Amino acid sequence: MRDSRVSGSFVAADYVVFALMLVVSAAVGVYYAWTDRKQRSSGDFLMGGRRLTALPVSLSLTASFMSAITVLSHPAEVYRYGASVAFYCLSYLVTMLVTSEVFLPVFYKLSITSTYEYLELRFNRATRLLGTLLFVVQTILYTGIVIYTPALALNQVTGLDLWGAVVSTGVVCTFYCTVGGLKAVVWTDVFQLGVMLAGFLAVIIRSVMLQGGVISIISDSQRGGRLNLWDFDTNPLRRHTFWTVTVGGTFIWISVYGINQAQVQRYISCKSITHARLSLYINLLGLWSILFCSVFAGLCLYSVYKHCDPWNTGLVSAPDQLMPYLVMDILGDYPGLPGLFVAAAYSGSLSTVSSSINALAAVTVEDLIKPYRNISEKHLSWISKGLSFLYGVLCIGMAGLASLMGGILQATISIFGIIGGPLLGLFTLGIICPCANSKGALSGLLSGLVVSLWVGIGAQIYPPPPDMSRPLSLTTDGCNFTTTAGFNWTSTALPTQPSSTAPTPLLADWYSLSYLYFSPIGTIVVISVGLIISMFTGKSHFVQYGLRLITATEFLGKLDLKKDREKTFGNTNPGFCDVELDLTKSNVPS
């Protein structure tokens, strides 16, 4: 292994590999722009004509939310806190089961383009617009961070030009989204997922060779406490345990796969509901593969640096730089392989951003333009392409803004997760609670947002104590060099400014809640408040249905929303009205 003090830099072969990834991604966009040049409708551009098959959609689903933040942060998480995040494999499984049986049947059979169309069909236009607004704001914020954060980490370790990488990835992503539509996004995701796995495997294989085999890495991790899997502590204040990862993680991932436009838009673009279901379950295998690679890469990271931690020695300034540092350290003598890992990280960024751009264009056309303007499908197709370009530019601009935000980055990413919980509660309320009405839905959504933001922002201002997050020990005893004078060798966290005021003990516990429980809190508050308000504002309807839950199949059997859509679009649904109706006189089948 090379001298650990030298962080290395890119060579020509690395730039070639990185550039090749960008060129292939752009070429896919050009190909679909040419083959679909006669497409006339926005549905063809945004939904691929609803003719996609299970395999490419499943791989696209996997790539969409496996961003560069996953590639860089998951291994660093295992390095610092242990492999308990491996239990996400269980939350992924439950997520796919719930999504395929509860949310998929509703969205697919309604043949909607935007998930927020459902909110107007079920409740009213105000609920739809609020849901759309929340999605647009959080997605633009998040995509900017997804572009900038890995660029910063890679720049500081590999020497890759920061703004050159940000602009080139943003421009290529915007290009193939604008000219190729959903088909280009899906097939570039397939390619980028392969690049991500190849990057992980390059690091893992080289680490295994250096450390003397897989058993050696596992033994090192066991001795270092990194295989802390069997922690069944039910304390909700603990950062990561079996229960926080499986229960909290399930809510977070259902909010991604069950209702997030970027994911729903993919599986409802399949040519049949069977293909849509199959895409979810094949995607599960992809998620498990990425999770296994990222966890094992974290164990490799610890095994290589178990005696000389680069963070505490000041060789890297943030945990996200640990993986790039490892790559330059163990793969720097193999021209092209560091470029492959950087291409893997940026493939994560491209897949996430392209999915977001396509989803933003879809909700803008369906929720903010179509209901208010009578525009031909040909013009809507051109508008969709223009919006893809506009949102791409906005995301690049947001990356520039993210560079000025400093320590707020982590808070913004946390808030992105916090918003998903209340939105999940809103959709769940509508689908399985027939007694809920529009007043309850709006009240519940606003209440859930307030509570989620309160606990999320409070946790940023008053971070949980170390005995709840429990970072594992790191040592510099085996380093064979000296650091600059005055460096604190025992530091295990980045410096923070002490708070001028401390919360009361009760609030301190509330703010110390594991961040994985923010989403369940938002979901539960929305459903609870929504049902209570519905009970007081629609008593006769509440008496009719009570607190009975219904399945997605029963829901669709009760109302043929697709049939009634043209006539009642934007009006209160008779089957869910706040007063009793004689449904025998309605054109809605009971």
Side-chain angles (χ1 to χ4, degrees), residues 47 107 112-118 128 132 261 268 362-363 366-367:
M47 302 297 294
F107 294 138
I112 56 180
T113 298
S114 165
T115 54
Y116 304 99
E117 290 179 69
Y118 165 79
R128 175 183 184 175
T132 301
Q261 174 68 25
I268 64 175
V363 299
E366 296 295 327
D367 299 329

CSV table of all heavy atoms in Angstrom, one decimal, residues 47 107 112-118 128 132 261 268 362-363 366-367:
chain,number,residue,atom,x,y,z
A,47,MET,N,-44.1,8.9,-19.6
A,47,MET,CA,-44.5,7.5,-19.1
A,47,MET,C,-44.0,6.4,-20.0
A,47,MET,O,-44.3,5.3,-19.8
A,47,MET,CB,-46.0,7.4,-18.9
A,47,MET,CG,-46.6,8.4,-18.0
A,47,MET,SD,-46.0,8.3,-16.3
A,47,MET,CE,-46.6,6.7,-15.9
A,107,PHE,N,-52.7,3.1,-7.9
A,107,PHE,CA,-52.1,4.0,-8.9
A,107,PHE,C,-52.2,3.5,-10.3
A,107,PHE,O,-52.4,4.2,-11.2
A,107,PHE,CB,-50.7,4.4,-8.5
A,107,PHE,CG,-50.6,5.2,-7.2
A,107,PHE,CD1,-49.6,4.9,-6.3
A,107,PHE,CD2,-51.4,6.2,-6.9
A,107,PHE,CE1,-49.5,5.6,-5.1
A,107,PHE,CE2,-51.3,7.0,-5.8
A,107,PHE,CZ,-50.4,6.7,-4.9
A,112,ILE,N,-53.1,7.0,-13.8
A,112,ILE,CA,-52.7,8.4,-13.6
A,112,ILE,C,-51.2,8.6,-13.9
A,112,ILE,O,-50.4,7.6,-13.9
A,112,ILE,CB,-53.0,8.9,-12.1
A,112,ILE,CG1,-52.3,8.0,-11.1
A,112,ILE,CG2,-54.5,8.9,-11.9
A,112,ILE,CD1,-52.5,8.4,-9.7
A,113,THR,N,-50.8,9.8,-14.2
A,113,THR,CA,-49.4,10.1,-14.4
A,113,THR,C,-48.7,10.7,-13.2
A,113,THR,O,-47.6,10.3,-12.8
A,113,THR,CB,-49.2,11.2,-15.6
A,113,THR,OG1,-49.8,10.6,-16.8
A,113,THR,CG2,-47.8,11.5,-15.8
A,114,SER,N,-49.4,11.6,-12.5
A,114,SER,CA,-48.9,12.1,-11.2
A,114,SER,C,-49.6,11.5,-10.1
A,114,SER,O,-50.9,11.4,-10.1
A,114,SER,CB,-49.2,13.6,-11.2
A,114,SER,OG,-49.0,14.1,-9.9
A,115,THR,N,-48.9,11.1,-9.0
A,115,THR,CA,-49.5,10.5,-7.9
A,115,THR,C,-50.4,11.5,-7.2
A,115,THR,O,-51.4,11.1,-6.5
A,115,THR,CB,-48.4,10.0,-6.9
A,115,THR,OG1,-47.6,11.1,-6.6
A,115,THR,CG2,-47.6,8.9,-7.4
A,116,TYR,N,-50.2,12.7,-7.4
A,116,TYR,CA,-51.0,13.8,-6.7
A,116,TYR,C,-52.3,14.0,-7.3
A,116,TYR,O,-53.2,14.6,-6.7
A,116,TYR,CB,-50.2,15.1,-6.6
A,116,TYR,CG,-48.9,14.8,-5.9
A,116,TYR,CD1,-47.7,14.6,-6.6
A,116,TYR,CD2,-48.8,14.6,-4.5
A,116,TYR,CE1,-46.5,14.3,-6.0
A,116,TYR,CE2,-47.6,14.3,-3.8
A,116,TYR,CZ,-46.5,14.2,-4.6
A,116,TYR,OH,-45.3,13.8,-4.0
A,117,GLU,N,-52.5,13.4,-8.5
A,117,GLU,CA,-53.9,13.4,-9.1
A,117,GLU,C,-54.8,12.7,-8.2
A,117,GLU,O,-56.0,13.0,-8.1
A,117,GLU,CB,-53.8,12.7,-10.5
A,117,GLU,CG,-53.1,13.5,-11.6
A,117,GLU,CD,-53.2,12.7,-12.9
A,117,GLU,OE1,-54.2,12.6,-13.5
A,117,GLU,OE2,-52.1,12.3,-13.3
A,118,TYR,N,-54.3,11.6,-7.6
A,118,TYR,CA,-55.1,10.8,-6.7
A,118,TYR,C,-55.7,11.6,-5.6
A,118,TYR,O,-56.8,11.4,-5.2
A,118,TYR,CB,-54.3,9.6,-6.1
A,118,TYR,CG,-55.0,9.0,-5.0
A,118,TYR,CD1,-56.0,8.1,-5.1
A,118,TYR,CD2,-54.6,9.3,-3.7
A,118,TYR,CE1,-56.6,7.5,-4.0
A,118,TYR,CE2,-55.2,8.8,-2.6
A,118,TYR,CZ,-56.2,7.9,-2.7
A,118,TYR,OH,-56.9,7.3,-1.7
A,128,ARG,N,-54.3,18.3,-3.3
A,128,ARG,CA,-53.5,18.0,-4.4
A,128,ARG,C,-52.4,19.0,-4.6
A,128,ARG,O,-51.2,18.7,-4.7
A,128,ARG,CB,-54.3,17.8,-5.7
A,128,ARG,CG,-53.4,17.6,-6.9
A,128,ARG,CD,-54.3,17.6,-8.1
A,128,ARG,NE,-53.6,17.2,-9.4
A,128,ARG,CZ,-54.1,17.1,-10.5
A,128,ARG,NH1,-55.4,17.2,-10.7
A,128,ARG,NH2,-53.4,16.8,-11.6
A,132,THR,N,-48.3,18.5,-4.2
A,132,THR,CA,-47.4,18.8,-5.3
A,132,THR,C,-46.4,19.8,-4.9
A,132,THR,O,-45.2,19.6,-5.2
A,132,THR,CB,-48.2,19.3,-6.5
A,132,THR,OG1,-49.2,18.4,-6.9
A,132,THR,CG2,-47.3,19.6,-7.7
A,261,GLN,N,-43.2,10.3,-6.4
A,261,GLN,CA,-43.5,10.4,-7.9
A,261,GLN,C,-42.4,9.7,-8.7
A,261,GLN,O,-42.7,9.0,-9.7
A,261,GLN,CB,-43.7,11.8,-8.3
A,261,GLN,CG,-43.8,12.1,-9.8
A,261,GLN,CD,-45.1,11.5,-10.3
A,261,GLN,OE1,-46.1,11.4,-9.6
A,261,GLN,NE2,-45.1,11.2,-11.6
A,268,ILE,N,-45.7,2.3,-12.7
A,268,ILE,CA,-46.9,2.4,-13.4
A,268,ILE,C,-46.8,2.6,-14.9
A,268,ILE,O,-47.8,2.7,-15.7
A,268,ILE,CB,-47.9,3.4,-12.8
A,268,ILE,CG1,-47.3,4.8,-13.0
A,268,ILE,CG2,-48.2,3.1,-11.4
A,268,ILE,CD1,-48.3,5.9,-12.5
A,362,ALA,N,-43.3,15.8,-14.8
A,362,ALA,CA,-44.6,15.1,-14.8
A,362,ALA,C,-45.6,15.8,-13.9
A,362,ALA,O,-46.7,16.0,-14.3
A,362,ALA,CB,-44.4,13.6,-14.4
A,363,VAL,N,-45.2,16.1,-12.6
A,363,VAL,CA,-46.1,16.7,-11.7
A,363,VAL,C,-46.5,18.1,-12.1
A,363,VAL,O,-47.6,18.6,-11.9
A,363,VAL,CB,-45.6,16.6,-10.2
A,363,VAL,CG1,-45.4,15.2,-9.8
A,363,VAL,CG2,-44.4,17.5,-10.1
A,366,GLU,N,-49.0,17.7,-15.1
A,366,GLU,CA,-50.3,17.0,-14.7
A,366,GLU,C,-51.0,17.8,-13.6
A,366,GLU,O,-52.3,17.8,-13.6
A,366,GLU,CB,-50.1,15.6,-14.2
A,366,GLU,CG,-49.5,14.7,-15.3
A,366,GLU,CD,-50.5,14.5,-16.4
A,366,GLU,OE1,-51.8,14.5,-16.2
A,366,GLU,OE2,-50.1,14.3,-17.6
A,367,ASP,N,-50.3,18.5,-12.7
A,367,ASP,CA,-50.9,19.1,-11.6
A,367,ASP,C,-51.1,20.6,-11.7
A,367,ASP,O,-51.9,21.2,-11.1
A,367,ASP,CB,-50.2,18.8,-10.3
A,367,ASP,CG,-50.1,17.3,-10.0
A,367,ASP,OD1,-51.1,16.6,-10.4
A,367,ASP,OD2,-49.1,16.8,-9.4
